[in-house]
Amino acid sequence: MAYTYELKRFIRRVEETRPERLAKRKEGYVFPKMSLVEKENRLRMFHPSYKEGSLQELKIGPSKGYGVPPEICEILEAWSRIDPDRIDLSKVDFETDVLIIGGGGAGTAAALLVQENGVKVTIATKLRHGDANTMMAEGGIQVASQPGKDSPYYHYLDTMGGGHFANVPQLVYTLVTQAPSVLYWLEGLGAMFDKNADGSFKVLHLGGTCRKRVHVAADITGAEIMRTIRDEARNRKGIEVLEFLPAVELILNEHGHCAGAILYNLETEEYHLVKAKAVILATGGSGRLHIGGFMTTNHYGATGDGLVLGYRAGLEVCLLHTTQYHPTGAIFPEQAEGLLITEKFRGAGAHLLNIDGDQFVFEREPRDACASSIIRECVQVGKGIPTPAGKVGVWLDTPMIDLIHGERALIKNFIGKYKIFKRYEIDITKEPILIYPTLHYQNGGLKFNETGETVIPGLYAAGEVTGGVQGENRLGGNSLLDVLVFGRIAGQNAAHYAKGRAKDGRFTLDHVRKFHKELEEMGVDRKRISPILLPDYSNPLVREHQLTTTYEGTLR
Ligand code: MEZ
C-alpha cells in the first residue's frame, strides 16, 4: 500500500528540512551523542526492559529467584510435551556421535567442524535447514580486519561498552579474537562480501562501533552467509539433516551426562529417540514470544525452545533481563510491521526524524539507547507520526543515501529493502520509511563457557540460545559473528568429547519428572506446555473450540 495522502503531507516536512541537513552533513556535522548519564536516564525511563513490571521472578528451576520477561517465565515454567512414563527409552530411532539441535548459522557452522573432526553428525531442525534468524540478518558481521586502523582490542571495548559491561569477558575475548579467522574461513568457502575496487573489504560503522568494522553483502549478509555454509554442509559427506523434527526434550544418562534428545515429527506427530555421545543446542532466540507485545524481526520458529530444553535439564539462564528492540522496524504498511530495516541505512547516513522533519538522536547510538529515544519522541515528546492503523512512528530518511553517496547507491547497497518496498508502491530512494522499535534479539540465554561447554557433560551450546557474549545489549553485527565463532568452537569440542570423554549409560528422563513435581507443587496449569515450537496467531475465541492435540500438548 502506497503512502496515504495524509502521510505524504507529513513527508513534505522531511523534504523541507533535507537540504539543510544534507549541507550540514557535508560540512561534517553530526547530531550530538548522549552522555553516559543521559543514556542511563533514557533507558530507565523509556526502554521496555527497564519498565516497572517488565520482569517476573522464576519460581522453580536452576535460576529460581531470577527475573525474566513474563513471556519467558511462561515457557520455562511449563509442562513437557511428553509424559516421561510413556516414552520407551530402550527404543532408539537414530544414533549419531554429535546431535545438533537447530539448523541455523550456529548449528550449521558446528556441523561443519564436527564433520572435519571425523565423527558422525546429525542436525535436527524444526523447519527447513536454514530457516533461522541468521538467514534474515541484514546489516553485517563485525570483524577487526583493518590492520593499523582497527584491532580486536577496540572491538572488545565496543562490545563490552555496548553490553553495559555485563558481558562475560572471556566470551567477548574469544568472540573478537576469533573474528578474523571466521571471516577468512567464510571467504574460503565462497561467501561474497562487498569489496572496494582494490579488492579490500568494504567496512562500515554501525551503532556503538568506534571503528568501521562491519562487513556486508549488500543488505542480505545473513542470507549470503547461510547460503554458503548450508551449501557446504549439504555437499559434504557425513552430515545428516533431519528437517521438521524439532527437539522437545533432552535425554540424560545415569551419569548425569547428556545422551541425546526426543524429537517430534511436526507432520506425523510421532516421537523419535536420538542417541548421541554429545549434543549441541543451537536453537536460536525467542522473538516469536513477542515480549512486551512488540512485533518482531525474527523468523517463524524463534520460540525459545533451547532455553526450555536446557533449563529443564538443569542449566541456569542469565542476562535475559534485557531484550533487544531494534530501533528501526517498519510500521507502514501494516503488512510489513516489525520488518527489520537494517541499521546499515543509518550507518550510511539516513537520519531519524520526527513529525517536524527534525533529528532528535544521534543515529548510531547503541541500539537500546536509540530505541529508547524513538519511544520517547513518540510517547513523551509527542512528535511521532500517526499511521492509518493507529500506530505512531518516526521517519528514517532513506533518500539521504543517494544524496550523500551518489545516484543508485541505495539500490546497490539495499536491494533487498528497495524491492520489498517497491511492492508496496513505496520508492525508498525518494520517500522515507516509517519505523518504530521491533523485538530483534534475545540478549541472554543459557550459561555456557568459551569452549562451548555447559555444566552438563556432553551438552554444548552456541549462538542466540546462550547468554554472556552480548551482555545487556548486543551491538549490530555481533550476532552473525557470535553464531559462527561459537558454533565452530562447540562443533570442534563436541567432536573431541564424542571421541574421548563420552561415557555410555542408562538413559533417563528423571530430570523431566523432577521438574514436573516442582510444577505440580507450584500449581501450574497443566495446559501450559513448552517448547511451544510455533507461535499461535489464531483467534483465542476460535482456539477455545479447537481442543485438538495441538492445544492439549501432544503425548500426555
Ligand atoms: O546484527 C544485527 O542485528 C544487524 C546488523 C541488524 C541490522 O540492522 O541489519
Side-chain angles (χ1 to χ4, degrees):
M1 178 190 179
Y3 283 127
T4 58
Y5 172 75
E6 188 67 3
L7 287 171
K8 285 197 169 164
R9 239 169 27 87
F10 291 131
I11 289 177
R12 258 179 250 138
R13 297 197 203 168
V14 172
E15 289 165 351
E16 278 161 23
T17 62
R18 199 177 284 143
E20 191 185 334
R21 285 185 285 109
L22 183 65
K24 276 166 87 177
R25 173 171 165 128
K26 288 195 170 156
E27 285 161 15
Y29 171 83
V30 282
F31 193 86
K33 292 184 192 169
M34 277 185 263
S35 69
L36 269 182
V37 176
E38 280 171 316
K39 254 187 229 172
E40 277 298 305
N41 286 339
R42 200 146 294 179
L43 292 184
R44 305 258 159 256
M45 290 181 69
F46 299 103
H47 195 280
S49 295
Y50 294 76
K51 251 175 61 189
E52 189 76 17
S54 66
L55 301 177
Q56 189 175 318
E57 235 179 57
L58 287 163
K59 299 227 169 38
I60 58 170
S63 297
K64 188 172 165 174
Y66 175 53
V68 300
E71 295 84 352
I72 300 240
C73 215
E74 180 122 344
I75 59 163
L76 291 185
E77 295 180 337
W79 296 80
S80 174
R81 298 184 82 88
I82 59 162
D83 175 349
D85 295 332
R86 291 186 60 194
I87 297 279
D88 181 359
L89 291 176
S90 68
K91 208 177 135 285
V92 173
D93 299 295
F94 300 94
E95 190 163 349
T96 188
D97 290 321
V98 178
L99 170 67
I100 299 173
I101 302 176
T108 307
L112 293 172
L113 267 287
V114 176
Q115 190 264 359
E116 283 168 25
N117 280 277
V119 298
K120 196 173 165 202
V121 53
T122 301
I123 297 177
T125 182
K126 176 159 56 185
L127 300 169
R128 295 165 305 179
H129 187 187
D131 284 337
N133 285 344
T134 297
M135 183 66 104
M136 298 167 78
E138 296 178 7
I141 177 165
Q142 285 207 37
V143 180
S145 69
Q146 313 281 302
K149 294 185 188 150
D150 194 7
S151 89
Y153 167 81
Y154 293 115
H155 189 179
Y156 178 89
L157 289 181
D158 285 348
T159 303
M160 292 295 287
H164 301 284
F165 296 93
N167 326 48
V168 175
Q170 193 55 41
L171 292 174
V172 182
Y173 175 84
T174 306
L175 179 85
V176 302
T177 52
Q178 295 277 312
S181 56
V182 159
L183 180 70
Y184 301 124
W185 176 70
L186 282 174
E187 267 228 303
L189 294 178
M192 291 184 287
F193 291 99
D194 292 1
K195 296 271 179 80
N196 297 307
D198 65 359
S200 60
F201 286 112
K202 268 196 181 152
V203 282
L204 45 102
H205 273 303
L206 288 182
T209 54
C210 71
R211 298 287 186 278
K212 287 188 176 172
R213 154 183 333 124
V214 180
H215 298 65
V216 295
D219 59 347
I220 48 170
T221 316
E224 174 59 9
I225 289 176
M226 198 68 231
R227 173 195 73 77
T228 306
I229 59 175
R230 183 180 57 187
D231 279 3
E232 187 67 22
R234 300 308 282 249
N235 283 310
R236 281 195 197 173
K237 283 211 166 62
I239 301 180
E240 178 182 35
V241 182
L242 306 173
E243 295 181 312
F244 301 102
L245 277 165
V248 294
E249 218 59 74
L250 293 173
I251 298 172
L252 302 184
N253 69 19
E254 59 189 312
H255 313 294
H257 297 187
C258 193
I262 311 266
L263 308 183
Y264 172 61
N265 187 322
L266 285 179
E267 211 176 330
T268 63
E269 301 201 59
E270 285 170 284
Y271 287 86
H272 300 287
L273 192 155
V274 188
K275 178 179 180 187
K277 293 178 182 149
V279 174
I280 302 174
L281 280 173
T283 49
S286 55
R288 289 283 163 173
L289 300 182
H290 296 286
I291 292 168
F294 274 76
M295 299 299 279
T296 185
T297 59
N298 282 196
H299 85 107
Y300 194 55
T303 51
D305 304 358
L307 291 180
V308 173
L309 268 55
Y311 196 66
R312 238 176 238 153
L315 300 187
E316 282 181 57
V317 291
C318 63
L319 290 151
L320 285 170
H321 54 274
T322 65
T323 298
Q324 178 155 97
Y325 299 91
H326 191 290
T328 52
I331 56 159
F332 185 90
E334 222 181 328
Q335 59 268 47
E337 260 187 52
L339 181 77
L340 176 65
I341 308 298
T342 176
E343 191 168 329
K344 190 182 159 194
F345 277 109
R346 282 174 282 136
H351 288 149
L352 287 169
L353 305 171
N354 63 20
I355 194 164
D356 297 328
D358 291 332
Q359 281 177 273
F360 55 90
V361 65
F362 170 58
E363 282 73 19
R364 287 192 280 107
E365 293 288 2
R367 286 183 175 165
D368 52 0
C370 191
S372 305
S373 301
I374 294 170
I375 295 173
R376 172 180 177 263
E377 198 67 14
C378 294
V379 173
Q380 193 198 49
V381 182
K383 289 204 172 185
I385 298 99
T387 74
K391 304 260 164 108
V392 185
V394 298
W395 295 115
L396 177 69
D397 195 14
T398 47
M400 286 288 284
I401 310 270
D402 281 0
L403 296 173
I404 296 168
H405 302 282
E407 224 180 301
R408 297 190 67 79
L410 187 145
I411 292 183
K412 193 161 166 230
N413 292 290
F414 300 91
I415 186 66
K417 280 288 127 26
Y418 175 76
K419 285 194 169 175
I420 288 178
F421 277 90
K422 224 24 201 183
R423 273 191 237 140
Y424 303 129
E425 296 170 50
I426 293 173
D427 179 351
I428 62 171
T429 65
K430 301 202 168 55
E431 292 176 312
I433 303 176
L434 204 44
I435 61 89
Y436 194 75
T438 176
L439 203 169
H440 187 53
Y441 192 75
Q442 179 184 289
N443 287 324
L446 299 171
K447 276 197 184 169
F448 81 131
N449 70 18
E450 68 281 3
T451 66
E453 285 171 333
T454 68
V455 294
I456 299 176
L459 181 58
Y460 294 75
E464 198 172 345
V465 71
T466 66
V469 181
Q470 313 291 352
E472 291 176 344
N473 173 57
R474 178 176 67 76
L475 293 187
N478 268 349
S479 68
L480 286 175
L481 183 59
D482 183 341
V483 298
L484 297 170
V485 166
F486 290 102
R488 281 164 47 90
I489 289 174
Q492 166 120 351
N493 290 331
H496 287 172
Y497 177 91
K499 283 197 271 193
R501 286 186 287 144
K503 203 164 147 194
D504 223 353
R506 184 180 47 82
F507 290 162
T508 170
L509 286 169
D510 280 352
H511 54 290
V512 180
R513 288 191 185 87
K514 183 168 163 269
F515 204 85
H516 278 179
K517 193 158 171 279
E518 289 189 61
L519 290 167
E520 183 97 65
E521 282 162 11
M522 199 182 131
V524 173
D525 185 347
R526 281 186 173 266
K527 284 199 175 147
R528 203 204 278 179
I529 288 156
S530 68
I532 61 171
L533 301 180
L534 294 171
D536 187 350
Y537 295 121
S538 61
N539 181 332
L541 293 175
V542 173
R543 215 181 302 156
E544 266 179 33
H545 295 92
Q546 290 181 323
L547 296 177
T548 60
T549 51
T550 309
Y551 302 116
E552 288 288 279
T554 39
L555 183 59
R556 321 218 65 244

